[in-house]
Amino acid sequence: MSYIITTSDLTKQYREVTAVDSVDLHVEEGAVYGLIGRNGAGKTTILKMLAGLAFPTSGSITIGNGSRKPRIGVLIEEPGLYRSLTALENMEIKRIALGSPDSPERSRQLLEFVGLMNWADVRCGSFSLGMRQRLSIALALSGDPDILILDEPINGLDPQGIHDVRTVLSRLNQENGKTIVISSHLLDELSKVATVYGILDRGRLVKEAGEEEILNSMPAYVRFIVDDTLAAKTVLESMGIFSYQTKSQHMIHVLEQFARRDEMLEKMIMAGIHVHECQVVRESLETYFMGITKEDRV
Amino acid sequence: MKSLFQAELYRARKSKSPLIILIVCFGMSLFSGLSYGIMYGNAPWIQKMYENAFGYNPFAFGDDLDLGLDIAGFTRMKSVGEFISTGLRINICLYLVIFIAVFLMPMRRSGFIKNLSSEHSRTRIFFVHVLLILIYSFLLVDVAALAMALMCLVTYRGLPLGGLPELLTYLVTSALLVAAIGLVVLTLTDLLRRQTPAIVMSVIYLWMIAPTVFAMGQVMTLYTSRSDFRLQYVSLAGNLMLLSPGKWDTILSALLVIAVYAGLCILLHFLVVRKKDII
């Protein structure tokens, strides 16, 4: 497997506090790696170390897997912008500083990409948090980085903004093959883009797993909405299924036997029950995260 | 490093603050020259006032025309004119401190440094800023000298600059000494990572450089058995052209000062600053 970022025993200590404790991360090339954790779990500290903004107390970070050092675009904490300069001028400073062969037109394209073209010549000081966040994403994309390190990139964005950023990230990953390491408190949003997860708790990496593994470990159930729950229960029991919960007068959750969903549905219909809804529902990433970190604490 | 330097030049052009500081420096130097001219224009009256107040004639110390690019407060008074011009003129070093505060520091303060950190090391950023300080010191000194020269023309209908080599010595030496202070300010701001304490410490430091330079002059004298390293003795820059007998000694002294300060700052950078987290 080709890892573009690996850390080994990565530790960061601030006086008495261990912010990151012996973390071994493995980020595959082309993955969207979601870092999940409570406040103070060490997400931002890890991202800062990956971005070269902070030094590890011990342990090592390896970035790149070939002879060429990958280029990294960074958005960590508050957007870093010169507020007295315009959006385009900020972009140009980054472009020139990187010695990028791109033309100035590329800066405009990136602003267009994040939906700020109409504000290209407006000073950043007058931007809303969402606009600054978008500009920071455009800055992170300047120089065509191979890896994007994004800390809470959807913080402060309105629902439309969150949707736009998600779309941008998905496109960057799927169309351009960018590797993205991203942290967010909005786990359901994160679950829409991430392909691998690293779950942190009090500075330690408690789990690192792919989307599929996480999905399979998430609690799930089949939800039936029917006109007669009593009759539905009789059908289920006749099939040898006893692990169910009656949630309301019309709703039953069947906690296992997902593979027999169609069979259950067929039997209920044959029994003359009106089935209004029948679907497999998975617990959210948030519920999964709460469960795994609680387990770890116990 | 070249690309980072180019980016900083682009920023300087767009943000305009370096240009505004130069204009203010030019204006204040004109004002300084004007006040100097007024003092000399009223010399008999001032002489009488001083004699009444302090019992001595300040003009007896000499009435050399001072282009006045001093950078420290410890200047032995040679004349009332020098005293007044030193008092009225905002120190060139302060313009450099302002330049560092409003132009160089915002890279860290605004967080823009985060956008560059994965491509440019702290050391590279430090050296680009050292280069900018050096260039800006020369610009400040030249602009101030131009303003003072203009006021000389207006006030005295002449420009007693002496020979070109002496004038160049004067400008180069002043710029190097100003840049030496700039390096200290830059290192302090990098070290403290906060603007206000860094500026306060820098201003305090401005008043400590004269004895330090004096000590260096003494060391030079000790090792070379020569006693004409007098730039530190009277002033760091004021009246330098008139007092120093040899231009190369003067430049050598200034080079020694900047070499020592640059060495210390670079050492501090490598030992401490570059190992610190950016945020």
Side-chain angles (χ1 to χ4, degrees), chain A residues 81-96:
Chain A
L81 306 168
Y82 291 119
R83 291 185 174 213
S84 60
L85 300 180
T86 67
L88 188 62
E89 285 163 354
N90 271 282
M91 293 293 295
E92 279 297 278
I93 290 170
K94 170 94 188 270
R95 187 186 65 79
I96 299 168

Side-chain angles (χ1 to χ4, degrees), chain B residues 22-36 67-69 85 88-92 95 140-152:
Chain B
L22 284 177
I23 291 170
V24 172
C25 175
F26 184 79
M28 291 304 286
S29 300
L30 281 179
F31 176 73
S32 177
L34 179 69
S35 66
Y36 196 66
L67 281 180
L69 300 178
S85 71
L88 284 179
R89 191 185 317 119
I90 295 178
N91 206 298
I92 287 182
Y95 293 114
L140 277 172
V141 167
D142 290 347
V143 159
L146 183 67
M148 296 298 278
L150 278 175
M151 280 320 291
C152 268

Side-chain angles (χ1 to χ4, degrees), chain B:
Chain B
M1 191 150 150
K2 187 183 160 200
S3 55
L4 186 60
F5 180 68
Q6 284 171 335
E8 287 296 79
L9 288 185
Y10 173 85
R11 182 162 73 90
R13 213 172 69 235
K14 293 294 176 184
S15 71
K16 296 183 184 71
S17 55
L19 181 66
I20 292 168
I21 295 168
L22 284 177
I23 291 170
V24 172
C25 175
F26 184 79
M28 291 304 286
S29 300
L30 281 179
F31 176 73
S32 177
L34 179 69
S35 66
Y36 196 66
I38 291 170
M39 291 309 297
Y40 270 84
N42 295 292
W45 177 79
I46 290 165
Q47 185 177 337
K48 198 173 172 192
M49 186 187 76
Y50 259 77
E51 276 173 348
N52 289 341
F54 305 109
Y56 72 96
N57 175 8
F59 289 90
F61 288 96
D63 57 357
D64 302 322
L65 183 63
D66 180 15
L67 281 180
L69 300 178
D70 58 320
I71 64 162
F74 291 94
T75 304
R76 191 172 73 178
M77 189 173 72
K78 284 186 93 292
S79 65
V80 172
E82 183 184 344
F83 177 77
I84 296 295
S85 71
T86 304
L88 284 179
R89 191 185 317 119
I90 295 178
N91 206 298
I92 287 182
C93 276
L94 288 178
Y95 293 114
L96 191 65
V97 172
I98 294 168
F99 168 73
I100 293 170
V102 303
F103 185 73
L104 299 185
M105 282 188 198
M107 182 188 270
R108 184 184 288 280
R109 204 174 55 225
S110 68
F112 198 88
I113 195 169
K114 291 186 285 187
N115 298 314
L116 306 174
S117 63
S118 59
E119 295 293 325
H120 295 290
S121 66
R122 289 158 187 71
T123 303
R124 199 179 291 172
I125 293 170
F126 173 75
F127 279 112
V128 165
H129 284 177
V130 166
L131 191 58
L132 285 171
I133 283 176
L134 207 58
I135 292 170
Y136 203 72
S137 300
F138 273 87
L139 283 174
L140 277 172
V141 167
D142 290 347
V143 159
L146 183 67
M148 296 298 278
L150 278 175
M151 280 320 291
C152 268
L153 278 172
V154 171
T155 316
Y156 302 105
R157 312 268 179 241
L159 197 58
L161 288 175
L164 188 64
E166 284 76 12
L167 177 66
L168 289 177
T169 303
Y170 185 63
L171 296 178
V172 169
T173 307
S174 300
L176 287 175
L177 293 172
V178 168
I181 298 283
L183 290 185
V184 175
V185 178
L186 180 70
T187 308
L188 279 175
T189 54
D190 270 354
L191 195 65
L192 298 172
R193 294 188 291 180
R194 284 186 181 83
Q195 186 164 322
T196 311
I199 289 176
V200 170
M201 282 183 70
S202 306
V203 173
I204 292 170
Y205 189 79
L206 290 180
W207 295 92
M208 288 170 57
I209 192 168
T212 321
V213 175
F214 174 78
M216 287 179 195
Q218 293 297 313
V219 172
M220 287 284 278
T221 305
L222 195 69
Y223 281 98
T224 60
S225 306
R226 294 172 67 176
S227 58
D228 51 4
F229 292 101
R230 280 187 286 176
L231 97 102
Q232 80 285 351
Y233 188 66
V234 174
S235 157
L236 291 179
N239 281 338
L240 193 66
M241 183 172 67
L242 300 168
L243 289 166
S244 181
K247 51 185 176 297
W248 291 115
D249 291 338
T250 305
I251 285 192
L252 268 177
S253 297
L255 281 173
L256 174 78
V257 172
I258 196 163
V260 169
Y261 279 89
L264 284 173
C265 292
I266 290 168
L267 192 69
L268 202 59
H269 173 81
F270 276 99
L271 290 179
V272 186
V273 179
R274 86 188 174 113
K275 292 177 184 166
K276 284 191 160 220
D277 296 345
I278 285 181
I279 46 173

Side-chain angles (χ1 to χ4, degrees), chain A residues 84-187:
Chain A
S84 60
L85 300 180
T86 67
L88 188 62
E89 285 163 354
N90 271 282
M91 293 293 295
E92 279 297 278
I93 290 170
K94 170 94 188 270
R95 187 186 65 79
I96 299 168
L98 295 184
S100 170
D102 294 339
S103 67
E105 198 47 42
R106 176 70 181 148
S107 296
R108 288 190 178 274
Q109 283 171 3
L110 286 172
L111 288 176
E112 177 93 61
F113 191 64
V114 295
L116 284 178
M117 197 52 226
N118 292 339
W119 287 273
D121 299 315
V122 177
R123 287 186 178 193
C124 304
S126 60
F127 281 12
S128 67
L129 177 62
M131 289 163 81
R132 279 186 274 138
Q133 203 79 358
R134 285 181 207 202
L135 179 55
S136 290
I137 293 174
L139 275 166
L141 293 173
S142 179
D144 196 24
D146 307 289
I147 302 169
L148 278 173
I149 294 178
L150 308 171
D151 183 27
E152 310 279 355
I154 50 179
N155 255 8
L157 296 182
D158 55 21
Q160 182 62 47
I162 291 174
H163 175 265
D164 292 349
V165 169
R166 194 202 314 139
T167 310
V168 165
L169 295 181
S170 297
R171 274 174 59 193
L172 284 168
N173 177 247
Q174 284 156 20
E175 293 170 21
N176 305 329
K178 307 280 182 210
T179 305
I180 301 173
V181 183
I182 181 172
S183 79
S184 177
H185 282 115
L186 303 174
L187 299 189

